[in-house]
C-alpha cells in the first residue's frame, strides 16, 4: 500500500493530517467521507458525479493537480462560496503526485 500525506481543514477550522492511499482508486471526497471530516449528508450528495458541489474544497497547497475538466468548471460556475482556488473533491483522484496537498472544505451551501 502506498499512501500520500495531505492536510484537510474541516468546516470548523481544524486541520487534519491524513494518510491517503494511492492504490485504491479513491478521490478526495471519498477520503473526506472515510475520515468523517464533514457532517453526514453534507459532502458528496450527488455521489461524486460533479453535479452538486457539496464536496467543494479550497486548494491551499497545490503540488501539481490535474487541470480542471469541463464538467467540474461548469458545476463550480453554479456553486456557492466559489473562490479562485476552488475544486471539487470528487474530481481530485488520489495520486502520488498529490503528496503535500492541503485543502480546506468549503461551507455547505
Amino acid at each position: 500500500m502506498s499512501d500520500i500525506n495531505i492536510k484537510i481543514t474541516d468546516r470548523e477550522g481544524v486541520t487534519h493530517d491524513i494518510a491517503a492511499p494511492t492504490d485504491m482508486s479513491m478521490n478526495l471526497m471519498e477520503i473526506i467521507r472515510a475520515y468523517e471530516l464533514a457532517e453526514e449528508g453534507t459532502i458528496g450528495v450527488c455521489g461524486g458525479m460533479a453535479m452538486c458541489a457539496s464536496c467543494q474544497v479550497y486548494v491551499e497547497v497545490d503540488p501539481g493537480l490535474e487541470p480542471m475538466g469541463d464538467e467540474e468548471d461548469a458545476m463550480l460556475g453554479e456553486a456557492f462560496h466559489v473562490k479562485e482556488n476552488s475544486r471539487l473533491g470528487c474530481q481530485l483522484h488520489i495520486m502520488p503526485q498529490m503528496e503535500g496537498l492541503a485543502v480546506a472544505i468549503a461551507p455547505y451551501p
Side-chain angles (χ1 to χ4, degrees):
M1 188 157 96
S2 178
D3 292 346
I4 58 168
N5 298 300
I6 60 177
K7 292 185 183 297
I8 302 172
T9 302
D10 64 28
R11 291 180 176 134
E12 279 73 50
V14 178
T15 300
H16 305 266
D17 292 313
I18 302 296
T22 60
D23 58 353
M24 294 180 64
S25 297
M26 294 181 81
N27 61 46
L28 185 60
M29 176 204 72
E30 293 167 330
I31 297 294
I32 292 169
R33 284 173 132 182
Y35 281 90
E36 299 178 348
L37 301 180
E39 188 175 322
E40 181 91 22
T42 67
I43 190 126
V45 174
C46 72
M49 303 297 292
M51 296 175 67
C52 73
S54 64
C55 64
Q56 181 185 175
V57 297
Y58 304 127
V59 178
E60 298 173 336
V61 175
D62 180 351
L65 297 175
E66 292 288 319
M68 185 181 305
D70 291 340
E71 289 179 359
E72 180 179 7
D73 190 33
M75 184 66 251
L76 285 171
E78 300 176 19
F80 296 104
H81 311 291
V82 176
K83 298 181 180 180
E84 278 189 29
N85 60 340
S86 288
R87 292 294 302 264
L88 297 181
C90 67
Q91 300 300 299
L92 299 175
H93 301 280
I94 304 298
M95 298 182 287
Q97 304 90 310
M98 295 171 75
E99 173 71 36
L101 174 70
V103 300
I105 304 172
Y108 180 72

